[in-house]
Amino acid sequence: MQTLILATGNEHKVTEIREILNDPSIDIITAREAGVSDKLREDGNSFEDNALQKARAVYQATGKPSLADDSGLEVYFLNHRPGVRSARYAGDNATDEENNNKLLNELGALSFRRRTAKFCCVMAFVADGIEEIVEGECRGIILEQPRGTNGFGYDPLFKPDGYDRTFGEMAVSEKHKLSHRARALQKMKPVLEKYFRRI
Ligand code: IMP
């Protein structure tokens, strides 16, 4: 069995990545399970910088192939904020609810036409002699009120284009067909398959 280490402490991301990859031949474990107890730094200015920083740190600590996800929400009216600060939008230890409330307050009663946004996900894979980066995005709008309790983060506020339900109202299997994370992982899959076939 091959081991892939996820360079994240976010349990929601771990669950989603395991479900989307759905590969019984790869044992997917977290950095903590691999013995990396330090908090992973993510102080870069872009999703790319942060993803690479996290994957490199875990690869250096373990010597094992590492995959990092850095993701967030970009709202056009807010000049692409919260962006890389999505997890800490309302403060360093903010809850999802606090972040969502801050976003709703900032958008106020803005018309739907001006509430356009996109989720972005950049994934970095680092292993011996390899550094690969892929990205995925999902466009939609931010509703005026949360709907649904599935998923995490901004899911209850985000309605993807072409759908009448938010990510928070969708079954996980449905979110995984169109999410930014699923799209990035679809691009990363061949990289992982090639790497694990080679070793
Ligand atoms: P990171 O750990 O810095 O990559 O933070 C990612 C943050 O972006 C999360 O804490 C959420 O606030 C937001 N985010 C990323 N992906 C999703 C998603 O799939 N649904 C909802 N929120 C997300």
Side-chain angles (χ1 to χ4, degrees), residues 118-174:
K118 69 176 176 182
F119 269 128
C120 307
C121 174
V122 172
M123 292 208 160
F125 176 64
V126 176
D128 38 317
I130 299 186
E131 283 195 348
E132 285 282 348
I133 293 197
V134 297
E135 49 91 31
E137 60 180 49
C138 179
R139 289 170 189 270
I141 60 166
I142 303 301
L143 298 186
E144 288 181 345
Q145 278 173 2
R147 282 186 359 205
T149 53
N150 293 338
F152 70 104
Y154 300 91
D155 279 346
L157 292 180
F158 184 82
K159 188 188 79 57
D161 288 346
Y163 293 79
D164 56 12
R165 279 164 301 132
T166 66
F167 273 169
E169 292 173 301
M170 288 184 181
V172 285
S173 56
E174 204 173 357

Side-chain angles (χ1 to χ4, degrees), residues 82-117:
V84 287
R85 292 196 51 82
S86 292
R88 295 157 282 148
Y89 195 38
D92 275 348
N93 297 310
T95 61
D96 287 344
E97 196 182 352
E98 288 165 345
N99 288 329
N100 285 353
N101 285 338
K102 175 168 178 176
L103 180 60
L104 286 179
N105 285 335
E106 291 200 324
L107 297 185
L110 208 63
S111 68
F112 277 128
R113 219 170 29 83
R114 302 181 71 198
R115 302 175 80 94
T116 51

Side-chain angles (χ1 to χ4, degrees), residues 10 13 16 42 54 69-73 84 86-87 96 119 152-155 175 180-181:
N10 182 325
K13 288 186 187 175
E16 290 198 357
E42 39 186 326
K54 289 187 277 190
D69 160 321
D70 203 71
S71 44
L73 180 72
V84 287
S86 292
D96 287 344
F119 269 128
F152 70 104
Y154 300 91
D155 279 346
K175 179 182 174 188
H180 48 310
R181 188 161 294 105

Side-chain angles (χ1 to χ4, degrees), residues 75-81 106-107 110 114-116:
V75 180
Y76 298 102
F77 178 75
L78 301 175
N79 292 323
H80 302 275
R81 284 188 292 118
E106 291 200 324
L107 297 185
L110 208 63
R114 302 181 71 198
R115 302 175 80 94
T116 51

Side-chain angles (χ1 to χ4, degrees), residues 7-18:
T8 178
N10 182 325
E11 285 304 322
H12 297 285
K13 288 186 187 175
V14 173
T15 307
E16 290 198 357
I17 292 170
R18 281 191 175 128

Side-chain angles (χ1 to χ4, degrees), residues 44-58:
N45 289 322
S46 66
F47 296 120
E48 287 85 346
D49 286 352
N50 284 339
L52 209 45
Q53 192 176 33
K54 289 187 277 190
R56 280 179 180 158
V58 171

